Every structure is written in C-alpha cells, then in structure tokens.
C-alpha cells in the first residue's frame, strides 16, 4: 500500500501540464543560479555580500523576517475554519499549512546562508550542541520555528494520509494539534519580533510596538499571497474553492491592514513628536539623513501601496471584485515585504551605535541567492500543493470514499 | 574509454562540483573535537588562562590626557594578531568637541555639539580624543544573546569569546551598544613575522573583540594599550584591591561611563577633568585601510 502510494505521489509530482512544467523549469533555473552563487559565498566568505561590521544583518535576515510572517499567516485560515466553523474555508486550510511549511523551510535556508560558520549549525541543536537557553532569544527562535515546522508537517501528512486512505480524521488526534498551531504561529512571530525589540543597543527596534506590528503585517502579507495562489489553483486544478472563502479571508486581511497602518501611525507620532536623538534611524528611513537617502523611495512606495490596498479592501463592493482584490494583494505583498525587510532591518543599523552611516544595499550575489531560496521554497510549495490537491480531489487515493463531511 | 555522453558528463560534473565544496575531513574532525571538548591539544599554549580569583578588572581612561596619537590602537592590533581585514581595529579613537561621551553626529547641534569623527585628522589641543573599545560589561548584552554561549563573562570581569563555539550569527554585534565587536568577513591573514604566539589566530566566520589582553592580565601584566600610552592616559587594575589606582581614580575624579542609561554596567570609566596634554608625543603614523567607505 505504501509503495503504491509513493509511486502515485511521485507520478503526480513529475507529470503535469505544460504550465506546470514551465513553472518548475523556471524555478529550477533560478535555484541553480542561486546555488552557484552560494558556492561563491562559501569560497570567499561573507565578504562577498555587502554586509559589514556596521550593518551586520542585511538582506538575508530581511527576507527571513518577512518569511516568518508568511509562515504564521496559515493561522488566518485555521481560526475561521476550525474555531468558528466557517465551512467554506475547509478546502484551503491544508494549502495554507503547506505554505507555512515552505515558508519556514525558506527561513531556515536564509539563516544557514547568513551564518558565518554555517557548518557549526549543529551547535544550535539542544543537548547535542551548546544551547544558551533561556537567555538568548535566538535559541527560543530555533525551538519555535522547528516546532512549527514539525507541527505543520505532521498536520499535513496526517490529513493527506487519512484522505488518501479514504478514512476520516481522528478528531482526538488532530484537534489538539490544530488548536496548538494557533499559539505556535503567534509564537514564531512574537519570538522573532523579540529578537529585535530586545536589543537596547538599537533604539529603532527597542520599542514594544514591534511585536504587535509583526503580527499585524504578517496577517496581511501571508493571506495576500494565499489569495492569489488560491485563484490560480481554482483555474488550473479541479479543487473547488468557494468565492465566500476568499471573500472572508479578504475581509479579515482588511482589518489586519487597518491595525498595521494604525501601529505605523503610532510609531510615526512617537518619533516625530518626542523628537529625541533616537529619531535618527527613523529620519534615515523616511527622509534621508545628512544626504544619505537611498531607502526613502522604497519606504514611501511601500506605505502608499499599503494604504491603497487598505482603501481597496475596506469597501466590500470593491473588495469582491477579483481584479481589484488582486491589485490590493499585490500592493500588500510588496508593501509588507519592504516594510518588514528593508524598512525594519536596515534602519536598525543605520546610523550605527557610534553614529556611523554605512549605506547598505544588497549586491548582486545576495539578490541572486535570495531569489534561489525563494525559488526552492516555491518549488516545495508547488509540489506540496499539487500532491494535496490530487489527494483531495480523489485523483489518487480514496478521498471520494470518505463517508461524512469532516 | 566509454564514450562520454551527456548523462555521464552531467554525473561527472556534479560529483566534481560537489567535490570542490568538500572540506578537508581531518580538519573538520579536529575542529569538531575542539568544539566539543575545548581542551588545548598536546603542546598548545593555554590561550585563555584561568580567571584570577577575587578580581574585578576594569579600566580608566583619562580624556584630559589623551592626545589621540592612537598608539594604543596599533599596539593592540600587533599584540592580538588583528589582521588588516578587521577594520577598524578593536580600539577606535574618536575626536570629539567635548568630554561628554556624545559620540555620533546627533541632529541637534546646540545640544550635542558638532559631533565626532573617527577619521584621522591633524591632532589638535582644543579637541578631545576618546578611545572606545569593548567595555566588558557587568550585564553584557552580547553575553545574554549569544545562542551558543560562545561569548561568556568570567568571574574576574572579562568578557571573552570562545572562537570554537562561535557560529557567526552576529547577534552579539547587533546587541552591543558600543560597536565593539568585529566579524571576520574575510579569511584573516597575519604575516608570519607579526604573529604573537600567546594569542590564538582566528578563522573566517567568527566574531572577535578586545579581550583586555586576557593572556597578559591574568598573568600579572597590564593590557598592551595601557602599557603603550605615552601620556599615561590609561589605567588598568583590579577594583577589588583597595589600594588599586583604578579604584582611587574612579572614586575621586569626575568621571562617566558610556551609555550608562542602558544599564549594561560597562567597566571603562572616562575621566573628564582637563589636564596638561603632552602633544610632543604625537608623531604621525599611517592610518589603517578604511574598508568600504564608512561615512559619518
């Protein structure tokens, strides 16, 4: 039975229509280019990037921060379906969880790429390595990220295995895990936020508002991505996703973006009204500091994109128009990517603790490597989603023989 | 030989490619043993002596006397095998307008003065010079955030990095409020005739910083920067010793510490009373290479 299942799944992954093959081919090319640049980075050391002592965390950590948010957003689907029993979301929860798996895998890849001595990653394994827990928030991050990855993998594999075998889920097994995934998602986010906000040396980050802002922006970016993906899935596969499900997710996202913009407004007020010496990183980001203004166009376009997306989503009739909804999703994805990536990480280091300004922007190597990591993550997601849809629609396995609606 | 068709070529190429990535297996094994057991191998010098019992080391820097000659910076670099790829070296000497600890160019000139510079201008009697290095804080944020415990604080006050445990995550560099830590972005190279055998040579991918010359101070000597200062602007000592110079200075002279409000408990005190500056000791020395244009 297992061998047959593996054979069938293998066939699903390796066969597909032209679009699937072109998509996977494109991603493979990006991944291979990224990997070739990784060789360069291993050979030369991290000097091959644009990071220096003054800005010691850069593009890789920026992507990592954004992806942690993406991973946590699976909870936006879990809460309505399992806790509020909003049935139309049922088809898509698993795909959200597969996205969480892909996002956390990308996070782990970015961390390994950013570490100076990556072959010593085993130092971070509890009991085998030398783990400074509970003092270091990084150790907490290692624990919760891996826990979230294992949790989501378990949920997905369990659900798909049961569906394949034609049996209903065992509620006693799956419901505690699902309920636990909600605080787990919040925790990966909060712990990552604590990484930054706990550093008194960096006044741009050392504010309690960072943790709620992370959650608010994560719940915008993740579902934005998912909404577009679900529409693609509706068009290219047999999986039926009701309009109602997508509209509900869009509604939730609208309020999350409201919270995000409100928290941004709060930060702006605090910095500009109190106007202490700590306003320097804020000024560097929004207005330029002593002639250094390369981040300014990025953050302004990001916040304008977020605001436009909010205005589109807040009006139900515009929100229900799929063309406008997709524009809003694109805007939100871009806005949160910049806000949480460049708009959070880079100004934390500029100006530095002793007032130095190093105008950091990622170089070609960093950009190609991160594209490669995204490509690998998207490949994981595509493969996972394809298997999931094939099993759920009954293309392989015995899904159609399951007695009751679960 | 079999004809080399496309498949064979791809197989060979991928094996060869993977082969270039393979590290030397013996070195990896030795490295892992070091990391696990941390004991010096046969014949190896003890790089980090045992902490001195009942000691609480600290440093006092007299801003009234410092002329900014930067001898401390160069001596430290030679003493600790700091390669040219670590820039600036462990000690940074700022030229400031006043003895306030306000390093950095703040937005309100009336409040904070015209700021400071790290770059090597002509030394002047009307300016103040302020060396900054690792403060070996009592409540060091770098020790708190290190995920592997590679950065640790010893009972005698020194904050030391175990280079075998460091994974190069650079969280400590993010957490240090004084910009004291350096990362080995390049593979470091120190010319053979300049190597000090008492100090370990580091590798790429680990963080390093001032160690208060742990190989000297735990063997009864002063730090190199204190020894070399021509104006005797620096003092190093044990605060637990009631007769020590450092204790007298901190208790009797007007002083401050950097960023005290952050409660890190830094162990370098700066004296602020203006004193006679003996500028005759200043002889121009070539500045170290400035890597990648740091602006202020």
């Amino acid at each position: 039975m297992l061998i047959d299942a593996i054979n069938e799944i293998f066939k699903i992954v390796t066969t597909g229509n032209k679009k699937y093959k072109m998509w996977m081919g494109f991603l493979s090319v990006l991944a291979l280019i990224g990997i070739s640049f990784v060789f360069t980075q291993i050979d030369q050391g991290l000097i091959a990037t644009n990071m220096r002592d003054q800005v010691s965390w850069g593009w890789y950590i920026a992507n990592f921060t954004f992806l942690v948010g993406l991973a946590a957003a699976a909870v936006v689907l879990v809460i309505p379906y399992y806790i509020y029993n909003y049935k139309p979301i049922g088809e898509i929860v698993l795909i959200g969880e597969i996205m969480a798996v892909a996002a956390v895998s990308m996070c782990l890849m970015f961390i390994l790429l950013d570490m100076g001595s990556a072959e010593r990653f085993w130092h971070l394994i509890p009991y085998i390595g030398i783990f400074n827990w509970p003092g270091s928030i990084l150790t907490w991050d290692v624990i919760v990220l891996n826990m979230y990855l294992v949790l989501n993998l378990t949920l997905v594999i369990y659900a798909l295995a049961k569906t394949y075998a034609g049996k209903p889920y065992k509620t006693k097994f799956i419901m505690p895990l699902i309920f636990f995934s909600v605080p787990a998602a919040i925790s990966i986010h909060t712990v990552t936020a604590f990484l930054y906000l706990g550093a008194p040396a960096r006044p741009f980050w050392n504010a309690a508002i960072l943790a709620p802002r992370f959650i608010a922006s994560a719940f915008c970016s993740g579902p934005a991505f998912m909404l577009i993906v679900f529409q693609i899935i509706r068009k290219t596969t047999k999986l039926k996703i009701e309009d109602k499900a997508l509209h509900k997710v869009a509604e939730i996202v609208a309020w999350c973006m409201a919270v995000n913009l409100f928290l941004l407004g709060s930060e702006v007020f605090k910095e500009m009204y109190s106007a202490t010496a700590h306003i320097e990183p804020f000024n560097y980001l929004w207005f330029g500091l002593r002639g250094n203004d390369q981040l300014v166009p990025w953050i302004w376009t990001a916040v304008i994109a977020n605001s436009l997306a909010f205005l589109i989503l807040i009006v139900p009739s515009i929100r229900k128009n799929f063309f406008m909804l997709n524009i809003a999703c694109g805007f939100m994805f871009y806005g949160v990517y910049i806000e949480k990536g460049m708009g959070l990480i880079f100004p934390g280091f500029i100006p530095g603790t002793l007032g130095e300004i190093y105008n950091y922007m990622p170089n070609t190597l960093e950009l190609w490597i991160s594209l490669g990591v995204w490509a690998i993550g998207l490949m994981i997601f595509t493969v996972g989603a394809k298997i999931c849809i094939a099993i759920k629609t009954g293309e392989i396995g015995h899904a159609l023989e399951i007695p009751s609606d679960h | 030989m079999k004809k080399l068709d496309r498949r064979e070529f791809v197989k060979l190429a991928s094996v060869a490619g993977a082969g270039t990535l393979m590290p030397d297996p013996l070195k990896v094994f030795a490295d892992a043993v070091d990391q696990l057991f941390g004991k010096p191998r046969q014949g190896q010098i003890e790089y980090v002596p045992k902490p001195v019992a009942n000691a609480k080391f600290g440093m006092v820097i007299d801003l009234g006397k410092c002329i900014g000659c930067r001898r401390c910076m160069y001596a430290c670099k030679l003493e600790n095998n700091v390669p040219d790829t670590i820039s600036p070296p462990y000690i940074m000497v700022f030229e400031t307008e006043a003895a306030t600890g306000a390093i950095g160019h703040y937005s309100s000139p009336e409040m904070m003065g015209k700021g400071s510079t790290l770059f090597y201008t002509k030394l002047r009697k009307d300016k103040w010079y302020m060396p900054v290095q690792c403060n070996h804080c009592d409540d060091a944020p770098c020790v708190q955030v290190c995920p592997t415990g590679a950065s640790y604080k010893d009972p005698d006050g020194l904050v030391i990095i175990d280079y075998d445990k460091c994974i190069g995550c650079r969280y400590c560099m993010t957490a240090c409020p004084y910009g004291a830590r350096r990362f080995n972005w390049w593979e470091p190279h120190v010319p053979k005739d300049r190597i000090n055998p008492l100090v370990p040579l580091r590798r790429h991918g680990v963080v390093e910083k001032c160690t208060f010359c742990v190989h000297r101070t735990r063997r009864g000597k002063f730090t190199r920067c204190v020894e070399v200062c021509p104006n005797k602007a620096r003092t190093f000592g044990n605060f637990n010793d009631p007769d020590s110079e450092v204790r007298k200075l901190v208790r009797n002279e007007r002083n401050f510490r950097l960023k005290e409000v952050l409660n890190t408990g830094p162990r370098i005190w700066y004296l602020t009373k203006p004193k006679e500056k003996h500028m005759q000791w200043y002889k121009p020395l070539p500045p170290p290479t400035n890597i990648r244009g740091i602006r202020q």
Side-chain angles (χ1 to χ4, degrees), chain A residues 11-32:
Chain A
K11 215 163 56 151
I12 289 286
V13 170
T14 50
T15 60
N17 62 8
K18 199 154 177 218
K19 281 197 205 145
Y20 174 72
K21 289 206 173 98
M22 275 175 53
W23 172 242
M24 294 299 275
F26 170 67
L27 290 179
S28 312
V29 168
L30 283 181
L32 284 171

Side-chain angles (χ1 to χ4, degrees), chain A residues 56 120 123 136 280 292, chain B residues 35 107 145 163 170-171 295:
Chain A
S56 49
R120 294 184 180 176
H123 287 190
S136 168
E280 299 231 307
N292 301 293
Chain B
Q35 290 164 47
S107 301
V145 302
Y163 303 118
R170 308 187 296 292
Y171 195 6
R295 274 185 258 171

Side-chain angles (χ1 to χ4, degrees), chain A residues 38-39 42 44-58 61 114-124 128 130-133 135-139 194-196 198-202 205-206 277-280 283 289-292 349 352-359, chain B residues 17-18 20-21 31-32 35-36 86-88 92 94 103-107 112 116 118 132 141 143-149 162-171 173-179 181-187 203-206 258-259 262 264 291-296:
Chain A
V38 169
F39 284 0
I42 294 179
Q44 289 180 20
L46 279 173
I47 195 63
T49 68
N50 259 352
M51 293 188 277
R52 296 292 176 265
D53 286 339
Q54 285 73 14
V55 180
S56 49
W57 277 348
I61 298 290
D114 184 68
M115 270 164 65
S117 305
E119 75 277 8
R120 294 184 180 176
F121 75 92
W122 61 270
H123 287 190
L124 291 174
I128 305 179
I130 20 187
F131 212 50
N132 182 16
W133 187 87
S136 168
I137 303 290
L138 245 170
T139 53
F194 282 179
L195 268 181
Y196 306 116
R202 309 284 170 187
W205 294 339
N206 193 215
H278 289 169
I279 202 179
E280 299 231 307
N283 276 340
L289 191 64
R290 301 196 272 285
N292 301 293
F349 292 96
T353 51
L354 299 176
E356 293 167 300
I357 294 181
Y358 170 59
N359 279 312
Chain B
T20 57
L21 257 189
D31 208 26
Q35 290 164 47
L36 279 173
I86 296 283
S87 179
M92 301 168 276
F94 287 86
I103 310 171
H105 195 142
Y106 293 109
S107 301
M112 296 292 189
S116 64
L118 185 54
V132 177
V143 169
Q144 197 183 23
V145 302
C146 177
T148 58
D162 186 338
Y163 303 118
D164 289 325
K165 292 185 183 160
C166 177
I167 58 172
C169 70
R170 308 187 296 292
Y171 195 6
M173 292 175 72
T174 309
C176 176
Y178 308 107
R181 286 170 164 258
R182 310 279 176 268
F183 185 69
N184 278 292
W185 303 98
W186 276 280
E187 182 72 37
R203 42 163 268 176
H204 70 273
V206 296
L258 272 179
K259 304 200 188 186
L262 295 182
T264 50
I291 307 221
R292 299 278 174 152
I294 311 297
R295 274 185 258 171
Q296 280 190 308

Side-chain angles (χ1 to χ4, degrees), chain A residues 264-282:
Chain A
L264 171 67
S266 179
E267 275 187 286
V268 170
F269 175 76
K270 178 253 178 190
E271 291 295 355
M272 301 196 78
Y273 189 79
S274 321
T276 65
H278 289 169
I279 202 179
E280 299 231 307
F282 178 86

Side-chain angles (χ1 to χ4, degrees), chain A residues 183-195:
Chain A
I186 307 282
S187 77
I188 61 171
H189 237 160
T190 310
V191 171
T192 309
F194 282 179
L195 268 181

